[in-house]
């Protein structure tokens, strides 16, 4: 990220901040979408994050930390957006996918569906850790630093998220009662 | 069974696909909102010289007006104005000795417990330039809840334990040196559990090693000398002078005045060292935690308008100033001072906002902030170590700090 742009934006240069938005926008959307799994919610989260970041930018003390700092703001915007989404879709529930017509239940497509269902069932804070770790490739200490949470929290969220995702796949691998030998 | 590496790769593959570009309309809308978005002041600008004691109110107002900003505060006309109209405006020693002069002394008995093991926990990231590392975390024992930590003159850390209604006394290295408290059956046996099950307990030390215990569940304060000999007790349940509803923290100044914060009554009561009620401070808007400096200035964790923040009261009970810091520390809790008068405040926050510890210098004009929050804190006299009660209230963590 262009440090000069960040410093100018901190000083209140709106054009400089617009440049930062253009540079960071795609990356923010990629992160938000992967956390929220919904394009419209992700766009809303990015928009909120960009405005909040502008509001809070004078509090940023280290311009070199802009990217991580902006990511934290985005993640919080995703939490709020997820809450909003939950409220508006509270009547929906995840239904099991009928695999009867699937010729190869171990195929990547099926695993992906299972992962997707498992991922969508995760709490948003766990999803965020999974995305930062597996998509951005951030280490656990880097995540802790960026989100300003204890590293123990990062570890536990990642642990529980991974366990839940594994369970989502492996539960579907277990034979149904009709398949079990008598 | 998929291996961990394979499973990680599966997750990474799952996360691969997604939109490539942010739609222009999102950027346009965001940019349009910038013009109407009020920017926040930089954190450093939040601070006013609110603790610069010799400064006149007019100077303070001038600085607040010129330097700005919101949070900051001396809550401008608000807070300072309120100071004039009266929080604790009646510093007169209206001593209605609430209950009591201390009852007759009696030797207290002692119980001992096994030493616990200290262990290293991960180093938390520091937000400030000052290095921060944690050196140990120790629990109060199986499923134990702990109270407010305090450092005694000998450098050991006392913390109330609700498991056995006694103090766990820890060495600076994190070892449990002893467990102490009047034994069950003793009339001064502590009760650190409130009727609703809440655990707390606190202690304040005088420079000579004497101390006062906030016997939380018994609505009383008990005074001991440096040899732990019982000297007296006062307090009972109630809303009158010298009575407590939900006393939460205790502090003492060098003159021996004892301050007790009551979050049930939202008041700080001031007593002489032997329990004679002197006056009430911050009536109606005292926070749950307090810290008194050597000269009797007392800080508390609530602003006069009821919002979380820091307010400092002069020895006469009027307001010196305050700091409103909703972003830096939305909910300040425990606080204490080092020997130089630097103020350390810890807080916890909701969800994923960081729990922080903040150090204000003696004038309140600069600070350090770390991700090391909790419920309550004790510090070493030199300010080079902090002992924080974690949010679970089940452990004390030691952090090594750069000296101020």
């Amino acid at each position: 990220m262009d440090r000069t742009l960040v410093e100018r934006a901190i000083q209140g240069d709106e054009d400089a901040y617009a440049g930062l938005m253009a540079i960071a926008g795609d990356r923010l959307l990629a992160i938000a979408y992967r956390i929220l799994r919904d394009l419209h919610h992700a766009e809303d989260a990015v928009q909120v994050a960009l405005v909040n970041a502008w509001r809070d930018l004078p509090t940023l003390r280290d311009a070199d930390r802009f990217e991580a700092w902006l990511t934290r703001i985005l993640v919080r915007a995703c939490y709020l957006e997820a809450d909003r989404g939950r409220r508006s879709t509270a009547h929906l529930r995840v239904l099991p996918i009928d695999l009867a017509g699937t010729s190869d239940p171990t195929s990547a497509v099926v695993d992906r569906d299972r992962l997707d269902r498992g991922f969508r069932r995760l709490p948003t804070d766990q999803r965020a850790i999974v995305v930062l770790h597996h998509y951005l490739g951030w280490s656990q200490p880097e995540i802790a630093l960026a989100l300003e949470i204890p590293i123990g929290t990062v570890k536990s969220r990642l642990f529980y998220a991974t366990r839940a995702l594994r369970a989502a796949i492996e539960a579907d691998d277990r034979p149904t009662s009709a398949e079990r030998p008598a | 069974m998929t291996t961990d590496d394979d499973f990680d790769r599966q997750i990474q593959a799952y996360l691969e696909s997604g939109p490539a570009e942010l739609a222009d309309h999102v950027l346009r809308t965001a940019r349009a909102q910038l013009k109407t978005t009020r920017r926040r002041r930089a954190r450093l600008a939040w601070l006013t010289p609110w603790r610069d004691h010799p400064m006149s109110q007019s100077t303070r107002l001038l600085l607040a007006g010129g330097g700005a900003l919101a949070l900051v505060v001396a809550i401008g006309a608000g807070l300072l104005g309120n100071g004039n109209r009266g929080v604790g405006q009646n510093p007169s020693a209206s001593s209605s000795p609430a209950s009591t002069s201390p009852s007759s002394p009696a030797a207290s008995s002692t119980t001992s417990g096994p030493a616990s093991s200290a262990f290293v926990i991960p180093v938390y990231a520091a937000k400030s330039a000052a290095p921060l590392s944690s050196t140990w975390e120790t629990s109060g024992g199986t499923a134990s809840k702990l109270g407010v930590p305090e450092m005694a003159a000998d450098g050991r850390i006392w913390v109330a334990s609700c498991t056995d209604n006694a103090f766990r006394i820890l060495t600076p290295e994190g070892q449990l040196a002893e467990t102490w408290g009047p034994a069950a059956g003793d009339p001064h046996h502590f009760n650190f559990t409130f009727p609703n099950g809440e655990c707390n307990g606190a202690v304040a030390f005088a420079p000579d090693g004497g101390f006062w215990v906030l016997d939380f569940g018994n609505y009383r304060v008990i005074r001991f000398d440096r040899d732990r000999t019982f000297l007296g007790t006062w307090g009972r349940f109630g809303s009158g002078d010298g009575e407590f509803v939900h006393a939460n923290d205790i502090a003492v100044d060098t003159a021996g005045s004892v301050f007790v914060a009551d979050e049930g009554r939202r008041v700080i009561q001031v007593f002489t060292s032997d329990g004679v009620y002197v006056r009430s401070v911050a009536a109606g808007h005292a926070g749950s935690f307090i810290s008194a400096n050597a000269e009797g200035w007392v800080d508390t964790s609530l602003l006069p308008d009821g919002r979380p923040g820091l307010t400092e009261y002069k020895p006469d009970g009027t307001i010196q100033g305050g700091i409103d810091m909703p972003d830096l520390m939305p909910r300040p809790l425990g606080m204490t001072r080092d020997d130089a008068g630097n103020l350390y405040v810890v807080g916890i926050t909701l969800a994923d906002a960081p729990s922080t510890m903040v150090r204000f210098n003696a004038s309140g004009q600069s600070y350090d902030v770390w991700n090391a929050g909790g419920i309550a804190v004790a510090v070493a006299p030199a300010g080079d170590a902090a002992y924080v009660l974690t949010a679970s209230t089940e452990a004390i963590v030691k952090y090594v700090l750069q000296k101020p």
Side-chain angles (χ1 to χ4, degrees), chain B residues 337-363:
Chain B
R337 288 178 167 85
D338 62 22
D339 275 0
N342 300 301
L343 181 66
Y344 299 71
V345 187
V346 293
I348 58 173
T349 50
L350 302 175
D352 291 278
S355 295
T356 48
M357 174 167 61
V358 182
R359 175 167 63 194
F360 297 95
N361 70 8
S363 67

Side-chain angles (χ1 to χ4, degrees), chain B residues 41-355:
Chain B
R41 292 172 297 276
R43 282 175 177 160
L44 285 173
W46 295 353
L47 302 175
T48 54
W50 66 301
R51 303 182 64 224
D52 193 358
H53 299 167
M55 190 173 293
S56 69
Q57 177 169 313
S58 58
T59 304
R60 198 164 49 244
L61 286 171
L62 186 61
L63 286 173
L69 322 243
L71 245 208
V72 190
V73 204
I75 294 186
L79 214 172
L80 292 171
N82 286 348
N84 289 337
R85 72 168 177 270
V87 180
Q89 63 188 179
N90 247 344
S92 61
S94 64
S95 43
S96 57
S99 40
T100 95
S101 45
S103 45
S104 57
S108 59
S109 53
T110 300
T111 59
S112 294
S116 70
S117 59
F119 55 91
V120 175
I121 63 169
V123 174
Y124 292 165
K127 284 166 61 182
S128 74
L132 171 70
S133 61
S134 57
T135 60
W136 51 260
E137 172 176 330
T138 184
S139 74
T142 306
S144 180
K145 294 289 186 181
L146 301 172
V148 178
E150 186 65 39
M151 180 175 277
D154 62 3
R156 299 196 298 180
I157 299 92
W158 290 44
V159 57
S161 165
C162 293
T163 303
D164 45 12
N165 291 308
F167 281 98
R168 303 295 168 90
I169 302 173
L170 307 168
T171 68
E173 292 74 40
Q175 299 296 327
L176 178 62
E178 64 175 308
T179 299
W180 175 81
D186 185 301
H188 307 114
H189 180 61
F190 305 138
N191 178 9
F192 292 139
T193 304
F194 208 58
N196 65 2
E198 182 183 346
C199 167
N200 197 10
V203 60
F205 290 95
D208 69 357
F211 60 95
W212 292 258
V213 172
L214 178 57
D215 190 7
F216 178 67
N218 287 323
Y219 310 99
R220 65 182 177 180
V221 174
I222 308 178
R223 184 185 183 191
F224 298 89
D225 70 11
R226 59 181 302 166
D227 299 320
R228 303 179 188 172
T229 301
F230 171 79
L231 294 180
T233 182
W234 73 88
R236 63 187 175 201
F237 178 81
S239 298
D241 294 343
E243 297 177 337
F244 307 115
V245 169
H246 193 287
N248 200 69
D249 199 7
I250 189 167
V252 62
D253 66 16
T254 49
S257 295
V258 177
F259 302 78
V260 179
D262 190 326
E263 72 174 25
R265 296 179 51 196
R266 287 285 174 223
V267 69
I268 300 167
Q269 295 188 78
V270 186
F271 302 91
T272 63
S273 58
D274 54 1
V276 176
Y277 171 84
V278 177
R279 64 178 176 273
S280 291
V281 174
H285 37 250
S288 302
F289 293 88
I290 53 173
S291 175
N293 77 358
E295 290 78 35
W297 298 70
V298 61
D299 293 275
T300 189
S301 52
L302 205 64
L303 295 170
D305 64 4
R307 291 179 299 122
L310 296 182
T311 307
E312 185 166 82
Y313 293 86
K314 299 176 183 177
D316 65 3
T318 57
I319 294 174
Q320 163 68 20
I323 293 182
D324 179 6
M325 44 185 179
D327 293 333
L328 179 61
M329 182 178 280
R331 192 183 170 202
L333 294 170
M335 58 189 70
T336 191
R337 288 178 167 85
D338 62 22
D339 275 0
N342 300 301
L343 181 66
Y344 299 71
V345 187
V346 293
I348 58 173
T349 50
L350 302 175
D352 291 278
S355 295

Side-chain angles (χ1 to χ4, degrees), chain A residues 9-12 14-15 17-18 21-22 25-26 29-30 33-34 37 39 43 46-47 50-51 54-59 61 76 79 111-112 115-116 119 125 130-131 134-135 145 147-151 155 157 162 165-166 169-170, chain B residues 1-5 7-8 10-23 25-27 29-31 33-35 37-44 46 122-128 327 351-355 367 369 371:
Chain A
I10 290 173
Q11 297 304 317
E14 197 176 303
D15 290 335
Y17 187 68
M21 289 198 303
D26 294 347
L29 180 69
Y33 173 79
R34 283 161 177 83
R37 313 306 295 181
L39 182 59
E43 287 180 342
V46 170
Q47 184 178 314
L50 289 172
V51 175
W54 170 250
R55 181 196 64 194
D56 293 347
L57 202 47
T59 70
R61 292 201 280 177
R76 290 181 185 167
Y79 294 162
D111 279 352
R112 182 187 167 77
L115 259 182
D116 188 52
F119 188 84
D125 54 4
V130 169
V131 170
H134 288 294
Y135 176 67
L145 187 62
L147 298 189
E148 296 187 336
I149 57 178
I151 194 169
K155 287 179 177 175
R157 285 182 189 167
T162 304
L165 291 175
R166 266 188 180 280
I169 289 184
E170 290 166 4
Chain B
M1 174 71 76
T2 315
T3 66
D4 288 347
D5 286 345
F7 190 66
D8 284 353
Q10 256 184 292
I11 296 175
Q12 286 156 11
Y14 164 69
L15 293 172
E16 270 306 307
S17 61
E21 289 185 7
L22 182 63
H25 72 85
V26 178
L27 286 176
T29 307
R31 176 144 198 194
Q33 292 178 358
L34 301 186
K35 293 189 185 307
T37 299
R38 188 175 175 182
R39 304 190 88 201
R40 286 186 178 158
R41 292 172 297 276
R43 282 175 177 160
L44 285 173
W46 295 353
V123 174
Y124 292 165
K127 284 166 61 182
S128 74
D327 293 333
D352 291 278
S355 295
Y367 65 86
V369 54
N371 294 340

